[in-house]
């Protein structure tokens, strides 16, 4: 991020940073930097797909510390890629670096740098729940952040060294020196503050005796995200102008050389003359263009964030750069609110998507391949793609280039945009005005799930259950039963954690503590098969969340911090394959058991409709003699219905269960039953379709 090596150079010249006590101030926060810090610094899980609940706790603690000190935060997040595409090579290098890091983690090495793929989504949801003002820029955020800080005359919190170059009067607070965990109090007073260090361009320029106008030239020549002269074959030995030795002599020499210039143009022209002396015309032209682009990034155009925070309005189409005017008017405010996927900007402007990386089995295809059919519909809605029956009269559109992992390397392929038959009349310009029933139909058709299948699931969990149905049909290698059971138990655990925060008289404590006791502590060997399976599920969940947002939320959006806890579900898989049963974990928690069975029943019903006879659940290696690789749906459904009938027996003596009032988990269980005879139980259990007609469980 920014000028490589500059942050370390600042640490070397420690007297540039000044100790300050921050309190009673506005603070502009680089959101992307912050969620990286809050995840990596406490060393939260990277191997098992993430522990989002622990991250949520870190975010809450951070903003409580700010509130205690009277600090008003405004969080700004990156949106889509730079529409000029100047950083594309840098983005590819970073993607390859993340692939390398993920591969090292998969081999058990102690490295860091792989964020869970839903982390930004969780971060935005937590900010919303805390009522922390935030905005997601249409493209990259640096210029907007600096512009707002300049307008409001307040500091920026970031570790991005680009903020050492922007001329921000109130300066930059490096996150690495922002000691929010050590809130302090003035002696003899109740006034609290956060100890931190402050950087200002004034302090930097005074230290190196240079004019602040030449700082952008310094950044571009030293190498930022937009240009690297060394990679272009241009070598300038700035060390000759330094009295220092070692890695920082290049920075020191360049700054000494720039001290002779008063203006930006004078400094840039002198750099170009140096380049011309040792290189051909072609290299000089490329260097001139690159340096101009690198310098341009530090100019601050009028921003749109002040109006957004003050008046709640998005950027008017007339205030957008010409390429961005392809975005429909109705999308601009939701994009800034973070309620539409920022990846749609890359699809519409660049026809390109750079996929996230997780720890997977590198011998298998990327987990992103599993969710590709969902993205194809997303692309179709954005670009007006062809119908799935190939009969569309619309003109063809460009395919989307996807960048993803293949083995241990970054690769790309073209992916076709597709429109399902239910979406043939939809247009992006008016997608927000489409009937809700049509939006829902498009979503459900894409995931291959019926509305009736989800009717027995709490509304806020219908989307992850629909995703699980899709995952079971598309995952490769096929999913075994313990993987499914562990995932659903993880959803139950998240629901219990969520409800425990919001309700008094919580009655499901024994189940919660039982599951919590299984959370993996410390480093253990990683089962790459399990990691790969759950990576695919998270990819499917992410793309489904994006599709749901683009369709204006036909399904309730779940609280993602509570949907997946990697250190729990991985351990659950091991225990379930070893003989532990879900019933033993859910014992003593009636609502937990009901929720688990409702989700499992919906998934089995969905597979019954799709597969007719066989569900692609392969049995795990739990016995000495491995069972069949293809477990019949009837066998699984038979076991499920035996459980249901046993409950019927308990309730039948009382004449059937009554509709319950609002229960401890925040939803109401409704059981509709018809009378049945005991002699029919076995036949009904062996005939799941008949059994389903006799009884229905639903949530209100």
């Amino acid at each position: 991020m920014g000028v490589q090596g500059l942050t370390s150079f600042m640490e070397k010249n420690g007297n540039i940073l000044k100790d300050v006590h921050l309190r009673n101030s506005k603070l502009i926060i680089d959101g992307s930097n912050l969620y990286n810090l809050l995840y990596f610094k406490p060393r939260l899980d990277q191997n098992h797909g993430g522990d989002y609940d622990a991250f949520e706790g870190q975010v809450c603690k951070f903003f409580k510390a700010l509130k205690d000190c009277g600090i008003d935060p405004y969080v700004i997040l990156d949106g889509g890629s730079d529409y000029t595409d100047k950083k594309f090579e840098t983005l590819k290098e970073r993607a390859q670096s993340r692939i390398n890091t993920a591969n090292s983690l998969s081999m058990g090495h102690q490295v860091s740098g792989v964020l869970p793929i839903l982390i930004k989504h969780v971060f935005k949801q937590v900010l919303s729940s805390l009522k922390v003002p935030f905005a997601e820029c249409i493209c990259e955020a640096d210029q907007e952040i600096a512009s707002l800080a300049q307008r409001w005359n307040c500091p920026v919190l970031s570790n991005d060294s680009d903020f050492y170059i922007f001329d921000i009067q109130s300066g930059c607070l490096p996150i690495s020196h922002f000691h929010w965990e050590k809130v302090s109090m003035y002696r003899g007073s109740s006034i609290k503050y956060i100890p931190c260090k402050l950087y200002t361009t004034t302090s930097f320029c005074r230290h190196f005796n240079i004019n602040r106008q030449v700082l952008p030239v310094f950044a571009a020549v030293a190498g930022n995200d937009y240009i690297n002269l060394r990679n272009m074959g241009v070598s300038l030995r700035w060390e000759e102008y330094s009295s220092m030795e070692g890695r920082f002599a290049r920075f020191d020499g360049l700054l000494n050389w720039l001290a002779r210039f008063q203006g930006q143009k004078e400094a840039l022209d002198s750099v170009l003359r140096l380049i011309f002396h040792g290189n051909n015309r072609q290299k000089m032209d490329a260097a001139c263009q690159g340096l101009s682009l690198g310098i341009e990034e530090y100019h601050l155009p009028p921003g749109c964030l002040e109006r957004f925070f003050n008046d709640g309005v998005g950027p008017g189409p007339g205030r957008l750069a010409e390429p961005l005017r392809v975005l429909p008017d109705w999308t601009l405010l939701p994009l800034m609110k973070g309620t539409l996927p920022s990846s749609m900007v890359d699809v519409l402007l660049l026809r390109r998507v750079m996929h996230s990386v997780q720890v997977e089995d590198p011998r298998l295809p990327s987990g992103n391949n599993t969710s590709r059919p969902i993205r194809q519909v997303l692309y179709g809605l954005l670009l007006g793609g062809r119908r799935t029956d190939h009969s569309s009269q619309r003109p063809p559109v460009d395919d989307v280039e996807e960048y993803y992992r293949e083995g241990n390397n970054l690769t790309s392929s073209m992916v076709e945009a597709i429109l399902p038959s239910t979406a043939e009349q939809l247009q992006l310009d008016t997608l927000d005005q489409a009937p809700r029933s049509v939006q829902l139909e498009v979503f459900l058709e894409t995931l291959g799930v019926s509305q009736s299948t989800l009717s027995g699931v709490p509304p806020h969990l219908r989307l992850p259950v629909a995703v699980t149905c899709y995952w079971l049909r598309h995952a490769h290698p096929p999913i075994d039963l313990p993987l499914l059971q562990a995932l659903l138990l993880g959803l139950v655990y998240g629901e219990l954690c969520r409800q425990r925060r919001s309700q008094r008289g919580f009655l499901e404590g024994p189940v919660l503590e039982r599951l919590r006791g299984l959370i993996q502590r410390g480093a253990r060997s990683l089962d790459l098969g399990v990691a790969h399976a759950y990576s695919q599920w998270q990819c499917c969940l992410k793309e489904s969340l994006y599709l749901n947002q683009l369709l204006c939320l036909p399904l309730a959006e779940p609280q993602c911090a509570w949907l997946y806890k990697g250190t729990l579900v991985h351990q659950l898989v091991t225990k379930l394959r070893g003989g532990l049963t879900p019933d033993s974990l859910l014992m003593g928690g009636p609502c937990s058991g009901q929720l688990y069975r409702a989700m499992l029943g919906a998934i089995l019903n969905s597979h019954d409709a799709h597969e007719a006879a066989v569900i692609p659940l392969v049995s795990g290696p739990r016995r000495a003699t491995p069972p069949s690789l293809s477990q019949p749906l009837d066998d699984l459904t038979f076991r499920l219905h035996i459980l249901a009938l046993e409950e019927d027996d308990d309730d039948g003596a009382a004449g059937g269960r009554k509709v319950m009032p609002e229960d401890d988990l925040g939803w109401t269980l409704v059981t509709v039953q018809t009378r049945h005879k005991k002699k029919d139980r076995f036949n009904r259990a062996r005939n799941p379709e008949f059994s389903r007609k006799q009884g229905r469980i639903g949530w209100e």
Side-chain angles (χ1 to χ4, degrees):
M1 299 286 285
V3 183
Q4 283 194 346
L6 183 56
T7 298
S8 299
F9 181 64
M10 291 295 176
E11 300 291 341
K12 179 76 173 178
N13 294 272
N15 53 348
I16 296 175
L17 301 177
K18 306 299 182 184
D19 290 320
V20 295
H21 297 163
L22 188 69
R23 62 181 180 86
N24 298 336
S25 169
K26 285 184 176 180
L27 180 64
I28 311 299
I29 299 176
D30 180 345
S32 302
N33 248 235
L34 179 61
Y35 66 67
N36 272 269
L37 172 94
L38 294 179
Y39 199 87
F40 288 136
K41 188 175 181 182
R43 300 188 179 185
L44 301 181
D45 173 72
Q46 298 177 55
N47 293 36
H48 304 86
D51 279 348
Y52 296 107
D53 60 337
F55 170 71
E56 190 255 11
Q58 287 292 112
V59 177
C60 291
K61 290 176 185 176
F62 177 85
F63 285 102
K64 182 182 184 303
L66 299 191
K67 184 177 181 180
D68 288 346
C69 299
I71 299 168
D72 296 326
Y74 293 83
V75 180
I76 318 297
L77 291 153
D78 287 321
S81 301
D82 180 359
Y83 64 86
T84 66
D85 220 14
K86 291 178 291 192
K87 287 179 65 172
F88 182 48
E89 292 303 317
T90 300
L91 294 176
K92 287 198 293 185
E93 290 171 6
R94 289 177 182 167
Q96 182 61 61
S97 176
R98 284 191 291 269
I99 290 172
N100 297 339
T101 302
N103 184 54
S104 294
L105 286 167
S106 74
M107 295 188 292
H109 298 161
Q110 297 300 307
V111 295
S112 182
V114 175
L115 279 172
I117 64 170
L118 296 176
I119 203 72
K120 183 179 178 182
H121 200 90
V122 170
F123 185 60
K124 291 189 291 185
Q125 287 187 330
V126 178
L127 293 179
S128 295
S129 69
L130 296 175
K131 295 181 171 49
V132 173
F134 77 94
E136 188 166 0
C137 294
I138 303 296
C139 292
E140 294 208 327
D142 286 3
Q143 288 180 314
E144 289 282 359
I145 290 173
S147 179
L148 183 63
Q150 191 179 61
R151 287 280 302 169
W152 284 356
N153 193 23
C154 64
V156 170
L157 180 67
S158 178
N159 262 353
D160 188 336
S161 56
D162 277 334
F163 291 106
Y164 293 150
I165 309 300
F166 287 114
D167 189 14
I168 301 171
Q169 185 176 352
S170 293
C172 173
L173 304 171
I175 289 182
S176 52
H177 291 286
F178 191 75
H179 301 297
W180 62 272
E181 299 119 315
K182 300 177 181 178
V183 170
S184 302
M185 192 179 299
Y186 291 110
R187 183 174 298 177
S189 167
S190 61
I191 299 174
K192 296 180 179 180
Y193 64 88
I194 294 177
C196 51
K197 290 185 181 291
L198 174 68
Y199 165 90
T200 62
T201 54
T202 299
S203 178
F204 182 86
C205 292
R206 184 182 297 123
H207 182 84
F208 289 102
N209 193 30
I210 64 169
N211 190 298
R212 70 181 65 198
Q213 296 298 318
V214 305
L215 279 179
V217 179
F218 163 71
V221 174
N224 58 18
D225 290 344
Y226 300 92
I227 179 174
N228 189 312
L229 290 176
R230 288 182 175 181
N231 292 347
M232 301 170 70
V234 175
S235 179
L236 298 173
R237 294 195 54 79
W238 300 113
E239 294 87 348
E240 297 174 2
Y241 300 92
S242 174
S243 58
M244 294 178 61
E245 293 184 356
R247 57 183 293 214
F248 298 125
R250 181 171 65 94
F251 282 148
D252 185 66
L254 175 56
L255 288 166
N256 288 338
W257 185 81
L258 288 170
R260 70 188 73 179
F261 305 108
Q262 293 303 308
Q264 190 176 107
K265 186 178 185 307
E266 180 188 6
L268 178 59
D269 289 344
S270 296
V271 171
L272 293 174
R273 281 194 294 271
L274 285 179
I275 294 173
F276 181 70
H277 285 314
N279 297 280
N280 59 36
R281 184 73 191 185
Q282 185 178 2
K283 277 188 180 179
M284 182 179 173
D285 289 344
C288 180
Q289 182 181 10
L291 289 170
S292 297
L293 292 174
I295 291 170
E296 181 185 343
E297 287 311 302
Y298 302 105
H299 296 163
L300 297 182
C304 58
L305 289 178
E306 186 174 29
R307 288 187 69 227
F308 173 77
F309 285 124
N310 289 342
D311 304 322
V313 297
R319 300 193 64 175
L320 293 175
E322 183 63 35
L324 295 175
R325 294 177 188 176
V326 68
L327 295 167
D329 291 351
W330 73 268
T331 67
L332 299 179
L333 185 57
L335 278 169
M336 289 199 70
K337 288 182 174 181
T339 57
L340 276 177
S342 58
S343 60
M344 66 180 283
V345 179
D346 293 352
V347 173
L348 286 169
L349 271 67
L350 304 173
R351 300 292 197 270
R352 181 195 302 140
V353 169
M354 191 81 70
H355 287 307
S356 302
V357 176
Q358 295 186 90
V359 175
E360 300 178 331
D361 188 337
R363 298 164 296 181
L364 295 174
S366 167
N368 288 293
N369 290 4
T370 307
S371 55
R372 181 174 292 162
I374 303 174
R375 288 194 302 278
Q376 288 182 281
V377 174
L378 193 70
Y379 301 157
L381 291 169
L382 291 171
L383 303 174
R386 65 168 179 81
R387 284 182 56 187
T388 51
D389 60 8
H390 300 273
S391 64
S392 175
Q393 300 302 310
R394 295 185 182 185
V397 297
D398 293 338
D399 295 339
V400 176
E401 186 177 21
E402 294 190 343
Y403 281 80
Y404 54 94
R405 177 193 64 78
E406 184 175 290
N408 290 321
N409 297 308
L410 181 68
T411 190
S412 69
S413 63
M414 302 305 295
V415 175
E416 186 178 17
I418 293 176
L419 274 177
S421 58
T422 49
E424 66 172 331
Q425 301 301 322
L426 297 180
Q427 298 287 339
L428 180 61
D429 287 346
T430 56
L431 190 56
D432 61 320
Q433 300 170 28
R436 180 54 56 94
S437 59
V438 174
Q439 295 168 336
L440 178 60
E441 192 176 4
V442 172
F443 182 86
L444 294 177
E445 181 182 342
T446 301
L447 270 66
V449 180
S450 69
Q451 191 169 354
S452 60
T453 294
L454 300 176
S455 62
V457 178
H460 63 286
L461 292 176
R462 287 175 184 169
L463 190 148
V465 168
V467 168
T468 305
C469 294
Y470 173 94
W471 171 66
L472 286 176
R473 290 194 304 275
H474 291 83
H476 177 77
I479 301 304
D480 69 14
L481 184 57
L483 282 167
L484 173 61
Q485 291 172 324
L487 184 68
L488 296 184
L489 288 169
L491 289 171
V492 170
Y493 171 81
E495 182 66 8
L496 294 180
C497 291
R498 187 181 73 85
Q499 291 293 339
R500 187 168 199 168
R501 286 190 169 194
S502 59
Q503 291 191 358
R504 297 178 180 176
F506 183 75
L507 301 178
E508 303 285 313
V511 176
L512 179 58
E513 294 309 314
R514 204 174 292 131
L515 291 171
R516 187 171 284 158
L518 290 174
I519 295 172
Q520 181 173 315
R521 315 288 181 187
R524 294 188 184 180
S525 60
L526 178 66
D527 186 324
L528 285 180
V530 176
H532 201 87
Y534 288 142
S535 171
Q536 293 176 77
W537 184 80
Q538 287 207 70
C539 289
C540 296
L541 178 59
K542 183 183 77 168
E543 305 301 348
S544 299
L545 289 166
Y546 288 173
L547 178 62
N548 193 49
Q549 288 182 338
L550 184 61
L551 290 167
C552 304
L553 304 181
L555 285 182
E557 186 165 271
Q559 291 298 306
C560 294
W562 310 109
L563 298 184
Y564 182 85
K565 185 172 182 65
T567 51
L568 172 62
V569 295
H570 275 245
Q571 190 71 355
L572 279 169
V573 172
T574 301
K575 296 294 185 182
L576 291 166
R577 286 175 175 171
L580 189 69
T581 65
D583 283 349
S584 66
L585 293 170
L586 300 173
M587 187 170 52
C591 295
S592 303
Q594 292 164 11
L595 176 59
Y596 176 84
R597 284 189 292 273
M599 293 189 293
L600 181 59
I603 292 164
L604 294 177
N605 287 345
S606 174
H607 275 273
D608 191 19
H610 276 272
E611 307 297 336
V614 176
I615 184 172
L617 291 176
V618 298
S619 301
R622 194 160 57 174
R623 304 185 182 184
T625 304
S628 167
L629 288 180
S630 187
Q631 187 169 11
L633 173 62
D634 282 351
D635 289 351
L636 292 173
T637 314
F638 174 72
R639 294 210 302 270
L640 179 67
H641 280 275
I642 286 294
L643 290 172
L645 291 174
E646 288 173 352
E647 289 189 350
D648 287 351
D649 280 344
D650 295 337
D651 293 336
R657 184 166 180 159
K658 296 180 180 180
V659 177
M660 296 170 60
E662 188 82 5
D663 61 29
D664 293 307
L665 288 181
W667 26 257
T668 304
L669 173 66
V670 181
T671 304
V672 181
Q673 293 179 301
T674 58
R675 288 177 297 171
H676 59 275
K677 298 180 181 180
K678 291 184 179 180
K679 67 181 181 181
D680 291 333
R681 282 181 212 140
F682 181 80
N683 291 332
R684 288 194 293 107
R686 295 293 297 173
N687 188 339
E689 281 301 317
F690 180 73
S691 182
R692 275 194 294 276
K693 291 174 184 175
Q694 299 298 312
R696 177 177 62 82
I697 295 178
W699 306 98
E700 290 185 343

